[in-house]
Amino acid sequence: MNAVILCGGKGTRLSSISRNRPKILLKIVDTYFIYLLFDSLINQGIKKIFLLTSYKSEMIKKKVGTKYRNTEITYLDDSKELNPGTASALLNSIEFLPEHFILQYGDTILDLNYKDFYFRSLENQEQMLMSVYKNELNLDKNNVLIEGNYLRYFNSENTKSKKVKEITSHIDYGLIGIHKSFLMDNLEKLKENASLKHFQEKLSFLNLIKPYFCLKRFYEIGNLESYAQFIEIYKRGDLDRVIIPNS
């Protein structure tokens, strides 16, 4: 199983504590976030990890190396030929990516059955599979409307509208499953905007994204508040079953 991690951003919302380090290298008590992320993936059977890097990529490489718990780590640096962003990072790396992979944000740890998600995605080459969560905990702004076997995804600009707030009850959980052939078929749409969110929104209104429902909350360090919450959750041991290596 292949996992591709988006970790090229500067982490602007965390600049007061990051001290010019990439977000994934933030200290979490006695370790670093990236190692907790790796543990959560490897514990679920991920065999190869690709890091899409840009900001301070050499710092990440020096800290992490090319292997973690006998799992190969491959770095794909953003060439910066296109405008920086999550979609452009994917586009710039596309020729080096495996034929099928799951794509996850580098500031999030998820609590789901990766194998089930992975193989459901593997079976479907015609659509993207997106993990979604019924946002009863109000973890962030709702941005997903479920319509039968498909979903409508709204990028962050549209989630501000009153109508979107009224009709949505789910949130993007932070994991998508993709075939490279699907990306190639939709390459022009991917090129339209540097943000992956715009790409996902467009695909969803073409019925090209199917939902995968997750039952447990996710954990992230996207801003100062969520970073502080994450540290408290880690200290309490709430993440142990996700990040402690299987015996």
Side-chain angles (χ1 to χ4, degrees):
M1 296 197 300
N2 305 300
V4 177
I5 308 299
L6 292 163
C7 52
K10 293 184 178 180
T12 306
R13 291 178 294 175
L14 292 166
S15 59
S16 62
I17 60 171
S18 65
R19 298 184 181 90
N20 296 318
R21 288 174 296 177
K23 196 177 347 181
I24 58 171
L25 294 185
L26 282 177
K27 195 77 181 289
I28 306 295
V29 188
D30 55 351
T31 186
Y32 293 91
F33 184 83
I34 193 167
Y35 297 143
L36 301 180
L37 174 58
F38 285 169
D39 285 332
S40 70
L41 296 171
I42 296 168
N43 291 348
Q44 289 274 349
I46 297 298
K47 301 299 183 185
K48 191 168 184 179
I49 297 172
F50 296 79
L51 297 183
L52 302 192
T53 58
S54 179
Y55 177 68
K56 303 279 188 176
S57 58
E58 291 303 319
M59 184 183 293
I60 298 173
K61 293 175 187 176
K62 184 177 179 180
K63 187 70 179 176
V64 176
T66 57
K67 275 200 172 183
Y68 180 81
R69 285 176 53 191
N70 294 319
T71 299
E72 184 178 347
I73 310 296
T74 299
Y75 298 88
L76 299 176
D77 289 340
D78 192 338
S79 64
K80 299 182 178 63
E81 293 177 3
L82 302 172
N83 291 332
T86 47
S88 58
L90 191 61
L91 183 60
N92 287 335
S93 305
I94 194 167
E95 64 178 296
F96 305 106
L97 295 173
E99 177 52 40
H100 175 259
F101 57 92
I102 55 175
L103 180 70
Q104 180 171 328
Y105 292 108
D107 61 358
T108 310
I109 287 179
L110 309 178
D111 190 359
L112 80 160
N113 187 329
Y114 277 84
K115 288 182 181 179
D116 185 62
F117 181 91
Y118 191 92
F119 287 107
R120 287 200 194 186
S121 171
L122 186 62
E123 292 169 356
N124 187 1
Q125 295 189 34
E126 305 301 321
Q127 286 105 9
M128 181 187 293
L129 185 65
M130 176 183 285
S131 59
V132 298
Y133 177 72
K134 192 168 185 180
N135 193 24
E136 294 174 337
L137 296 177
N138 197 30
L139 298 176
D140 206 337
K141 293 178 182 177
N142 293 338
N143 60 358
V144 174
L145 169 66
I146 303 300
E147 290 192 334
N149 293 326
Y150 295 95
L151 59 79
R152 299 289 177 261
Y153 177 92
F154 300 91
N155 70 61
S156 55
E157 294 174 4
N158 289 329
T159 55
K160 298 175 184 177
S161 78
K162 183 177 179 181
K163 182 180 179 181
V164 170
K165 291 178 182 178
E166 290 175 349
I167 65 175
T168 55
S169 60
H170 288 70
I171 189 171
D172 170 16
Y173 193 73
L175 187 70
I176 56 178
I178 317 174
H179 284 264
K180 187 195 286 192
S181 56
F182 175 85
L183 280 182
M184 297 303 295
D185 289 343
N186 293 278
L187 204 58
E188 293 307 310
K189 299 181 187 68
L190 184 62
K191 291 178 180 179
E192 288 177 10
N193 193 287
S195 171
L196 188 63
K197 296 180 185 297
H198 287 266
F199 178 60
Q200 292 174 150
E201 184 176 59
K202 174 158 280 192
L203 292 179
S204 76
F205 280 85
L206 294 171
N207 286 340
L208 291 175
I209 305 182
K210 288 194 169 184
Y212 179 95
F213 296 97
C214 301
L215 302 178
K216 299 173 182 176
R217 65 158 296 177
F218 58 85
Y219 306 91
E220 52 100 7
I221 58 166
N223 55 53
L224 290 172
E225 182 181 1
S226 61
Y227 173 71
Q229 290 174 350
F230 186 92
I231 288 178
E232 291 306 311
I233 289 167
Y234 176 76
K235 286 179 177 178
R236 290 200 306 263
D238 293 356
L239 283 170
D240 286 356
R241 60 189 175 80
V242 179
I243 61 175
I244 291 180
N246 302 320
S247 56

